[in-house]
Amino acid sequence: MAYFDSASSAPLHPVARQALVASLDEGWADPARLYREGRRARLLLDAAREAAAEAVGCRPDELVFTSSGTRAVHSGVAGVLAGRRRVGRHLIVSAVEHSSVLHAADAYEADGGTVTRVAVARTGSVAASSYAEALREDTALACLQSANHEVGTEQPVAEVAEVCRAAGVPLLVDAAQSLGWGRVDGDWSVLTASAHKWGGPSGVGLLAVRKGVRFAAQGPADERESGRAAGFENIPAIVAAAASLRAVRAEADAEAVRLRELTERIRARVPSLVPDVEVVGDPERRLPGVVTFSCLYVDGETLLHELDREGFSVSSGSSCTSSTLTPSHVLRAMGVLSEGNVRVSLPMGAAEEDVERFLSVLPGAVAAVREKLGAPIPATVVREDVLVVDALGKRCPIPVIELAKVIGDVPLGGTVRVLSDDEAARLDIPAWCEMRGQEYVGEEPAERGSAYVVRRVS
């Protein structure tokens, strides 16, 4: 079985395993106690903090360990917003942030704050100028991920941090996806990360708050972790997290070169092996091991099951997953196809032969899914000079398949009106037009669902 989903969670690094087992015998006591066992635990905790701070690029007393990366994000966002409440109640986030950031923003908005969500380009990248335009006198905090978790696009953190610093606004960086590869550039103010993303154990997050940043920890007071992370520290897991971060950093430069070559191979060959595929994300500024592509006329969840049967564990930003029936907010913000989306995120040490086998298996898997979907004969009716496709009650990608089958039945300049009540069609039909060189006219109200109007131009 080839595991190609390290962006979700990386396999436990051997160094993490060794450190975890070794510290179980020494790190079980309360590090706040003065007796011998407590002092041993404190030494382990302090050493782990120093190692993690060195990797992050901050002072040890600026960094605390939390129970997860999500907890670090929530604590960081809430703490800065509370500490700068006198400045104002305005928060800036990008439209493609991790759900932990967006959920924090939603909660803040529900509590009376205002939130600006910065749009991204089709590559998934923000522009520093967009953050500059979003800044206001009452802006308390801006948030930006270092790299996107679904498409691998690296964000211009240094440029955005410079813009924010000039305005006197702190920038919180979610570095979960990139910290294992190196320090985050730029004059950021707050940084969060999650150990299981770089091969550490789950249940350990990092929260770094620079000196001088106004921060007011929320919730009941707790004497541990500078009052910023309540509860007894999981010292063995923290030690393993810090040890594995140091280990992966030592391997990062050489491994980045190797994984970039493998992902570039996937980016280049998939479009030639599989018809109607779009590789998404920035082609240059991206994480070393992540490549994402979207297949037309394919249901993402079905494709993942097909690849799983062939021995590959991959992820998808498809709207049809076991946990949600709405399109991925990242793919929606980028304006790319939400159906048939596959994310390959190679772990450190991924074998070249596994990548080659994936490339040999993928065309058959996609073809099998397309055959299983068995695109139905569309119900069409000519209404004046407009061809109407009735796809009501049918889930994407069926509306897109039916559109593709009839677009050639209208003359150049003619239009097709697709009736659909699937939310995903609002994203997928414009994305299909972009990929196939047709003109998306817009959305119109209908008795049920919506009517999506497409003009044939090629």
Side-chain angles (χ1 to χ4, degrees):
M1 191 75 180
Y3 181 76
F4 285 176
D5 194 24
S6 65
S8 292
S9 188
L12 192 67
H13 194 282
V15 169
R17 186 183 302 276
Q18 294 167 6
L20 182 64
V21 172
S23 59
L24 285 172
D25 291 332
E26 297 291 332
W28 52 269
D30 188 344
R33 303 307 174 198
L34 299 179
Y35 42 70
R36 180 176 56 187
E37 294 86 353
R39 294 197 304 272
R40 287 177 180 172
R42 170 56 62 181
L43 286 173
L44 288 173
L45 181 58
D46 288 346
R49 196 185 314 279
E50 289 179 7
E54 192 279 330
V56 168
C58 66
R59 292 168 38 163
D61 60 352
E62 294 175 330
L63 184 144
V64 299
F65 295 103
T66 66
S67 58
S68 68
T70 294
R71 182 71 265 167
V73 166
H74 291 172
S75 297
V77 170
V80 176
L81 289 174
R84 287 175 49 82
R85 189 182 181 109
R86 291 185 179 180
V87 173
R89 302 205 66 198
H90 177 232
L91 170 67
I92 301 173
V93 299
S94 84
V96 294
E97 294 298 310
H98 187 268
S99 58
S100 61
V101 175
L102 298 183
H103 290 162
D106 290 342
Y108 185 60
E109 200 167 34
D111 191 43
T114 58
V115 179
T116 297
R117 295 167 178 85
V118 176
V120 299
R122 195 171 173 84
T123 60
S125 178
V126 304
S129 58
S130 297
Y131 268 73
E133 293 169 4
L135 288 166
R136 306 186 328 205
E137 288 188 2
D138 63 339
T139 302
L141 175 66
C143 299
L144 179 64
Q145 59 191 190
S146 55
N148 186 259
H149 49 292
E150 286 193 25
V151 300
T153 296
E154 293 180 327
Q155 300 289 6
V157 173
E159 294 92 327
V160 172
E162 184 177 355
V163 166
C164 291
R165 179 67 66 179
V169 174
L171 177 68
L172 183 149
V173 178
D174 170 17
Q177 291 296 332
S178 72
L179 193 61
W181 296 107
R183 290 183 178 180
V184 176
D185 293 333
D187 195 9
W188 50 265
S189 302
V190 182
L191 183 142
T192 64
S194 186
H196 73 98
K197 299 292 187 180
W198 65 69
S202 58
V204 179
L206 305 182
L207 170 61
V209 181
R210 298 278 200 196
K211 294 295 182 184
V213 176
R214 290 187 177 276
F215 190 96
Q218 299 302 284
D222 194 286
E223 70 277 8
R224 297 182 186 276
E225 294 300 294
S226 304
R228 293 176 180 172
F232 196 93
E233 298 93 342
N234 185 348
I235 294 177
I238 288 171
V239 170
S244 58
L245 180 55
R246 177 179 287 177
V248 298
R249 280 289 188 82
E251 307 163 359
D253 288 346
E255 191 65 2
V257 172
R258 196 180 71 86
L259 291 186
R260 282 192 189 279
E261 191 281 325
L262 292 177
T263 54
E264 190 56 44
R265 192 180 306 182
I266 297 172
R267 289 180 64 89
R269 289 175 55 185
V270 164
S272 65
L273 293 170
V274 182
D276 298 314
V277 164
E278 179 184 27
V279 180
V280 301
D282 195 291
E284 301 294 335
R285 294 189 59 163
R286 57 187 175 84
L287 293 171
V290 177
V291 56
T292 306
F293 53 89
S294 297
C295 306
L296 275 173
Y297 322 131
V298 167
D299 171 74
E301 187 176 13
T302 305
L303 180 55
L304 262 58
H305 287 313
E306 194 73 28
L307 290 170
D308 182 52
R309 282 192 287 271
E310 294 288 349
F312 293 96
S313 300
V314 298
S315 182
S316 175
S318 168
S319 63
C320 298
T321 68
S322 59
S323 60
T324 179
L325 293 177
T326 59
S328 153
H329 70 275
V330 172
L331 301 179
R332 177 189 288 276
M334 292 169 61
V336 299
L337 192 70
S338 70
E339 294 296 338
N341 179 266
V342 175
R343 180 188 67 185
V344 175
S345 50
L346 304 178
M348 288 189 171
E352 179 180 4
E353 53 267 30
D354 286 339
V355 171
E356 286 297 327
R357 189 166 68 86
F358 174 78
L359 289 170
S360 69
V361 162
L362 181 66
V366 173
V369 172
R370 286 173 173 166
E371 184 178 358
K372 283 180 183 178
L373 282 174
I377 298 173
T380 63
V381 59
V382 175
R383 182 180 299 169
E384 298 175 353
D385 60 343
V386 178
L387 187 65
V388 178
V389 175
D390 186 356
L392 292 169
K394 298 171 183 176
R395 293 272 302 277
C396 278
I398 300 303
V400 176
I401 292 174
E402 296 189 352
L403 167 62
K405 293 186 72 172
V406 303
I407 191 71
D409 294 342
V410 299
L412 288 174
T415 58
V416 177
R417 196 167 182 263
V418 183
L419 303 177
S420 176
D421 51 6
D422 183 4
E423 175 69 17
R426 181 169 285 113
L427 176 65
D428 288 349
I429 289 177
W432 179 88
C433 292
E434 178 77 20
M435 291 175 67
R436 306 300 292 181
Q438 306 297 346
E439 180 187 350
Y440 178 63
V441 177
E443 179 181 349
E444 298 177 350
E447 285 188 23
R448 281 181 56 200
S450 298
Y452 302 94
V453 183
V454 176
R455 178 174 288 111
R456 183 186 175 193
V457 295
S458 63

